[in-house]
DNA sequence: CATTTTTATGTAGTATACTACCTTTTTCTT
DNA sequence: AAGAAAAAGGTAGTATACTACATAAAAATG
């Protein structure tokens, strides 16, 4: 007997997410790294955008402000990022990746890419492409529906 | 300037998940309910499978054991489920939905279904169907890759 | 049948992912 | 320029979603 629940979008999406997180952890941890998906995304954004504040960083990776505060705390304590007070606006903090953070990103990237392939195991190349396009469209259309929408710069 | 990160499966899946959770909360809370997606799925499974233990419940909805312990705690404290010691095996607990839980499920179901549609806003009927099929396949193929695989009964 | 092993659950601890509220600093209005 | 409004970040609290370890009960083994 099968639950009708198994064919609901919400269930399939959650399962996809659990698989994604798990594969990321497997691939990176077995290669000797200790970085979560969110920490990777934050560090990746800091590499691309120097000295951004916490709110901007959160928007760039579509996370809420408070979550990112903790994520950055951990990146800082691991020595991968620096948080400093912005002298122009003493309310906000400027965030930057450290050389150690850059080195980590370069080293971990191949394993992150490998994880991306593994999590779509069992799909043909065409199916993968189709899934990606559909997810992109859904995510773009539904951006405003999430608590922490993506906010790109410019 | 756009991060390449935005076209990674892992990012798209996480965004999908954030949107899904958020829409579920919006639709149900605005209708006066106070139930999370996981609580809904657990209660839904308890309605279908009477007197199952915690491990079985966790497998049926693809969650890890410990998470489900807490979820059931909250269902019990809200009066939607009952946890009793299994007299045949005093290690395990039998879980059952209460009449109040059944009433809640019947009442909330329309809003849950509405949420399922809303989270795929912007897709045509065909695209929705295609996305669902691709997600189903990915989830089935990747089931063993997650920490808490789905374990159906029989 | 005593001992080992396995199994179901619980506890402690960490990391997202939020809401609600508070503080500080800046900006806007009058 | 004084006071109000807005904006950035922090704190407390809740709910997933895990890992690692501990406990108690049942099953398997000699």
């Amino acid at each position: 007997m099968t639950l009708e629940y198994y064919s609901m979008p919400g269930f399939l999406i959650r399962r996809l997410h659990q698989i994604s997180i798990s594969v990321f952890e497997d691939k990176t941890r077995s290669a000797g790294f200790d970085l979560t998906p969110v920490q990777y995304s934050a560090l990746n954004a800091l590499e691309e955008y120097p000295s951004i504040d916490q709110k901007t960083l959160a928007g760039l990776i579509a996370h809420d402000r408070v979550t990112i505060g903790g994520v950055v705390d951990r990146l800082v304590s691991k020595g991968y990022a620096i948080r400093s007070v912005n002298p122009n606006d003493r309310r906000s903090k400027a965030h930057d990746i450290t050389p150690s953070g850059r080195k980590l990103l370069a080293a971990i990237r191949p394993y992150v890419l490998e994880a991306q392939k593994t999590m779509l195991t069992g799909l043909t190349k065409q199916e993968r492409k189709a899934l990606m396009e559909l997810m992109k469209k859904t995510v773009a259309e539904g951006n405003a529906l999430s608590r922490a929408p993506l906010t790109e710069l410019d």
Side-chain angles (χ1 to χ4, degrees), chain A residues 40-52:
Chain A
Y40 172 81
S41 72
L43 205 53
N44 195 56
L46 290 184
E47 189 185 43
E48 205 72 29
Y49 299 95
S51 299
I52 52 177

Side-chain angles (χ1 to χ4, degrees), chain A residues 93-110:
Chain A
K93 311 280 171 69
H95 298 81
D96 287 279
I97 191 170
T98 63
S100 157
R102 269 178 218 283
K103 246 167 65 184
L104 173 75
L105 269 188
I108 204 177
R109 204 159 267 143

Side-chain angles (χ1 to χ4, degrees), chain A residues 20-31 33 35-37 115:
Chain A
S20 166
I21 295 291
S22 189
V23 168
F24 185 102
E25 157 112 12
D26 286 347
K27 293 291 179 191
T28 58
R29 183 167 291 279
S30 73
F33 298 99
L35 203 73
T36 66

Side-chain angles (χ1 to χ4, degrees), chain A residues 2-140:
Chain A
T2 299
L3 296 169
E4 70 161 341
Y5 170 69
Y6 294 156
S7 40
M8 287 188 183
F11 170 76
L12 295 170
I13 290 169
R14 170 171 65 80
R15 288 297 294 142
L16 232 42
H17 189 233
Q18 285 175 301
I19 291 166
S20 166
I21 295 291
S22 189
V23 168
F24 185 102
E25 157 112 12
D26 286 347
K27 293 291 179 191
T28 58
R29 183 167 291 279
S30 73
F33 298 99
D34 176 31
L35 203 73
T36 66
V38 184
Q39 287 167 18
Y40 172 81
S41 72
L43 205 53
N44 195 56
L46 290 184
E47 189 185 43
E48 205 72 29
Y49 299 95
S51 299
I52 52 177
D53 65 17
Q54 212 155 278
K55 194 203 173 187
T56 304
L57 173 58
L60 280 170
I61 58 177
H63 268 290
D64 84 291
R65 202 173 48 69
V66 180
T67 300
I68 287 313
V71 171
V72 170
D73 282 349
R74 289 178 281 281
L75 287 176
V76 168
S77 79
K78 287 177 184 173
Y80 300 141
I82 290 176
R83 177 159 38 190
S84 43
V85 175
N86 178 348
N88 292 62
D89 183 344
R90 295 172 11 84
R91 283 172 305 183
S92 76
K93 311 280 171 69
H95 298 81
D96 287 279
I97 191 170
T98 63
S100 157
R102 269 178 218 283
K103 246 167 65 184
L104 173 75
L105 269 188
I108 204 177
R109 204 159 267 143
Y111 300 95
V112 172
L113 295 178
E114 200 189 322
Q116 306 305 306
K117 265 199 296 184
T118 301
M119 68 184 69
L120 301 188
T121 284
L123 296 192
T124 66
K125 200 172 283 184
Q126 290 84 354
E127 288 173 328
R128 244 174 254 214
K129 204 183 148 177
L131 177 58
M132 294 287 290
E133 288 311 312
L134 287 166
M135 288 197 298
K136 259 183 211 174
K137 184 169 182 186
T138 313
V139 161

